[in-house]
Amino acid sequence: MDPLTTLQQPYPLNAFHLVIKEAAEEVVRHVQAPDALVGMEFLTNMSASAQGLYDVRLPTGQIRPLSLNLLTVADSGERKTGVHDLVAAPLYEFDQERIRRHEADFAQYELDMRVWEQIDKGLRRRLTKLTQEDKPIEETCLQLSEQAAAKPVMPRPRRIMHQNATERAIMDALEGDGESIAFISDEGDVIIKGGALKQLGVLNKAWDGAQMLTMDRSNGVSIVVRNPRVTVSYQVQPAVLKELLDRRGDVMRGSGHWARYLVGCPTSTQGIRFTYRLTNEWRHLPRFHECMRDVLNERGRRIDAGVMERTTLEFMEDASSRWIVLGNELESALGLDGDLHDIKDHASKALEITGRVAALLHVFSMQEGAISVDTLNRAVSIVGWHIDEFRRIFSPEYAVPQEQADAQVLERYLRKRYARWNRWVVEKNKVLRNGPVRPVSRLDAALDCLNAAGAVWVGVGLRNEQYINLNQAYFGSQTTMGF
C-alpha cells in the first residue's frame, strides 16, 4: 500500500530535508515537546513565510497557493508557546520591521497630506475667485486635475501575523492584490472566539486560491480582494476542541473547512522530559531561520517595489508520473469499501495538500529548478501521517482506545526513565506517583496492554507490594508499540 494511505508513527521528521530536519530535531531535543507539535510548527511557519512569494503548478495544470491550514490538539503544559516563539521568531521580526516602516511612512504621509490639502484649498479658492470675476479657469482646472492625481496615498500596514479578526478585518487586511496574512496562535481559543472561524466561506475560498473576493460595505463601497493568501494554524486543548465540535463541528465539517486541514494530536511528553545537561547552543535552528529571513526579505523587497506577482513552482516529469499513481491509489481508497471512505472529504484534498507541502520543502531546502520526485515522496510521508490523524480525530470508529494510548505513553516513559539506564524492575506505586498515566485504573489497563505485547509483567514482593518488570529483550531493541 502506498505510504500516503498508511499510518506512520512517530512524526516523520526524517521526511524533511536536512536543513529543516536538523532544526526540528534540535527543537525537540532542547524543548522536549512532542515531535508532531514541533513538525507542525515548522510547516506553519514555512507556509506563512512562503505563501506570499510562491505558488505551485500541480501536475494537473492548476495553480495553487502554498497556504496550509493546521490544527494541533495538545494539552496545557506541552510547551506549545515555547516551540512557537522559537520557530516563529523571523515572522515576528518581519512584522515588527514592517510596523516600524509603516509608522514612519504614515508620519510622512500625514505631513504630505497637510501640504497637499493647503495647495488644494488654494487652487479651489482661486477657481472660485476666477469664476466670480468671470475670468478664464482652464489653467486652474488643469492644475486641480494634476493636484488630484498627486494626492498622497495612505500607506497600509502589511503584517503577516493575525489572531482576532472579524470578516471585515480579514477583508481589510487582504484588500488589494496579492496580500498575504496568517492566523496563527498557540492558544487556539483566541482564534476560535475571535471571529476568524466564523468566516468559513472566506477562508475556504482563500485556501482554494480564489482570484477575487468582495465584500459590500453599508455605505455602498465594496472591498475587493484579488489573489489573497491565508495560512491558518492554531493549537487547542482537547476540551476546547470538544466544545468546538459540539457547537460547530457539523458546520465546519459539512462546509469542507476541516477537510482542508493537516491535523495532529501528538502523544504527550509530560512525565518523561528529564534534563541531563543544560545547553543554550543552537546550531541548526539559526540555519533554518536564515532560510525564512531570505524568503521574507524577498517578499518585503517586492512589496516595496510594488510587485505582487508570485513565482510559480513546477514539478519535474518523473514527479508528475508519480502524481498520477498517487492520485489513482487515493481514488480507489475513497470507494464504499475503501480505507479512506469515512474521511473522503479530507482524502479528496490530500493530494493537493501534498503538492503544497512538496513546494514548501523545495523552497526551504533551497533547491533550484522544478520539484523533484524525491521531494514529492517526502511530502507524501508527511501528509500520510496527518491523514491517519484526521481519521483518528474525526472518525470515532478509528479512535485509539484509551488504554492503548496510555500504554504507548507509558512504554516511552519506562524506556526513557528506566530501560535506557539498565533498570529493569520498578515499583508500580512509584510509576503511579511520578509517571504519565493516572489514576491506578488507567495504569492497570495500560500495563495489561504492555503485558499482552510482551513488554512487561507485574510481580508481587514479600509485603504484597507490586513491581513492574521490564522485558530486557523488548526494551533492549528499538521497537516501540505502534497502536
Side-chain angles (χ1 to χ4, degrees):
M1 184 178 293
D2 191 88
L4 193 62
T5 59
T6 60
L7 171 66
Q8 298 190 17
Q9 289 280 0
Y11 195 82
L13 293 180
N14 284 334
F16 288 128
H17 289 89
L18 192 63
V19 67
I20 313 167
K21 170 183 173 291
E22 289 182 337
E25 289 176 342
E26 189 171 57
V27 173
V28 171
R29 286 196 306 272
H30 283 24
V31 184
Q32 299 192 65
D35 54 2
L37 189 153
V38 173
M40 293 178 72
E41 182 66 37
F42 272 79
L43 287 175
T44 293
N45 286 274
M46 290 158 64
S47 172
S49 301
Q51 66 178 0
L53 195 59
Y54 295 96
D55 286 334
V56 60
R57 189 189 305 276
L58 302 179
T60 57
Q62 299 166 304
I63 296 179
R64 288 292 184 257
L66 268 57
S67 309
L68 298 179
N69 289 353
L70 300 104
L71 169 65
T72 309
V73 185
D75 265 318
S76 177
E78 294 297 350
R79 301 179 174 172
K80 300 186 292 291
T81 302
V83 171
H84 173 69
D85 289 347
L86 278 169
V87 182
L91 274 173
Y92 286 107
E93 293 170 7
F94 178 83
D95 274 0
Q96 290 167 1
E97 173 59 29
R98 302 310 300 188
I99 289 170
R100 283 194 293 268
R101 183 171 300 191
H102 174 260
E103 290 172 347
D105 291 344
F106 192 78
Q108 183 63 48
Y109 162 77
E110 288 186 316
L111 176 61
D112 293 343
M113 193 64 188
R114 284 195 293 270
V115 173
W116 183 90
E117 287 174 344
Q118 292 303 315
I119 295 174
D120 189 69
K121 288 177 182 178
L123 288 172
R124 291 180 184 277
R125 284 195 297 267
R126 183 188 304 171
L127 179 63
T128 300
K129 183 177 180 181
L130 291 172
T131 303
Q132 291 172 346
E133 296 175 353
D134 197 24
K135 293 182 178 179
I137 61 171
E138 288 77 9
E139 182 178 352
T140 303
C141 287
L142 179 60
Q143 290 176 334
L144 273 169
S145 178
E146 293 172 347
Q147 176 69 3
K151 184 176 181 179
V153 178
M154 180 186 296
R156 60 179 302 169
R158 280 194 170 95
R159 61 186 175 93
I160 295 174
M161 307 285 269
H162 295 258
Q163 289 186 348
N164 188 344
T166 62
E167 181 181 12
R168 170 68 180 276
I170 295 172
M171 296 295 286
D172 283 341
L174 291 173
E175 185 176 14
D177 190 7
E179 294 297 327
S180 171
I181 64 174
F183 292 96
I184 300 176
S185 178
D186 54 338
E187 294 295 340
D189 209 24
V190 174
I191 287 181
I192 292 171
K193 295 181 179 178
L197 295 186
K198 295 178 182 177
Q199 324 305 329
L200 299 184
V202 173
L203 294 178
N204 285 354
K205 290 178 181 177
W207 187 91
D208 293 340
Q211 293 185 359
M212 181 180 295
L213 300 173
T214 61
M215 178 181 180
D216 294 327
R217 293 173 170 169
S218 58
N219 60 3
V221 178
S222 293
I223 301 175
V224 179
V225 173
R226 295 182 179 87
N227 301 305
R229 296 295 179 260
V230 182
T231 289
V232 178
S233 178
Y234 51 102
Q235 302 173 358
V236 298
Q237 297 180 21
V240 176
L241 177 63
K242 183 179 185 305
E243 179 186 352
L244 182 61
L245 286 170
D246 292 342
R247 184 164 44 89
R248 302 194 66 222
D250 290 345
V251 173
M252 296 187 72
R253 185 77 186 270
S255 68
H257 184 66
W258 264 331
R260 293 165 165 82
Y261 275 74
L262 293 175
V263 302
C265 184
T267 302
S268 175
T269 59
Q270 294 188 56
I272 57 174
R273 300 180 301 202
F274 303 106
T275 301
Y276 301 104
R277 65 175 182 175
L278 296 175
T279 176
N280 293 317
E281 182 181 10
W282 292 89
R283 296 176 54 201
H284 303 295
L285 184 60
R287 291 182 58 212
F288 175 76
H289 280 169
E290 285 181 23
C291 296
M292 280 185 68
R293 290 188 182 98
D294 287 345
V295 171
L296 290 168
N297 288 340
E298 176 59 25
R299 167 68 176 166
R301 283 191 288 269
R302 294 193 186 185
I303 290 174
D304 294 339
V307 178
M308 305 303 285
E309 289 82 3
R310 290 177 288 267
T311 300
T312 300
L313 302 172
E314 311 267 355
F315 283 87
M316 290 184 179
E317 186 175 345
D318 56 351
S320 296
S321 299
R322 171 70 169 144
W323 182 277
I324 294 173
V325 174
L326 292 170
N328 289 335
E329 291 183 354
L330 264 177
E331 185 63 29
S332 65
L334 299 181
L336 287 174
D337 57 349
D339 292 340
L340 302 178
H341 177 72
D342 57 314
I343 56 165
K344 60 183 179 180
D345 55 336
H346 173 62
S348 65
K349 297 189 181 299
L351 197 54
E352 178 175 332
I353 296 174
T354 302
R356 298 180 185 212
V357 173
L360 290 171
L361 295 178
H362 180 85
V363 170
F364 283 89
S365 57
M366 296 170 287
Q367 298 183 58
E368 297 181 355
I371 301 168
S372 69
V373 68
D374 172 69
T375 298
L376 176 59
N377 286 331
R378 291 171 182 268
V380 166
S381 297
I382 294 168
V383 175
W385 187 93
H386 286 285
I387 287 176
D388 186 78
E389 287 294 282
F390 191 96
R391 179 162 48 188
R392 188 160 68 93
I393 293 172
F394 292 109
S395 181
E397 63 180 289
Y398 284 91
V400 176
Q402 182 67 60
E403 63 270 17
Q404 292 188 358
D406 287 343
Q408 189 172 18
V409 173
L410 180 61
E411 181 200 354
R412 293 182 182 180
Y413 171 79
L414 294 173
R415 183 181 297 278
K416 189 169 184 178
R417 184 69 179 83
Y418 296 101
R420 69 179 294 182
W421 305 108
N422 292 320
R423 298 171 63 186
W424 305 108
V425 181
V426 57
E427 284 186 51
K428 178 182 172 183
N429 280 340
K430 190 172 184 180
V431 173
L432 180 62
R433 287 195 309 270
N434 303 322
V437 179
R438 301 183 191 85
V440 68
S441 58
R442 282 177 56 181
L443 177 61
D444 287 339
L447 287 171
D448 286 343
C449 287
L450 291 178
N451 180 65
V456 305
W457 70 92
V458 178
V460 180
L462 296 177
R463 290 172 292 184
N464 291 323
E465 71 274 21
Q466 292 186 315
Y467 291 90
I468 301 172
N469 297 269
L470 278 62
N471 183 345
Q472 295 187 39
Y474 182 94
F475 282 95
S477 70
Q478 295 301 311
T479 303
T480 58
M481 297 180 68
F483 296 110

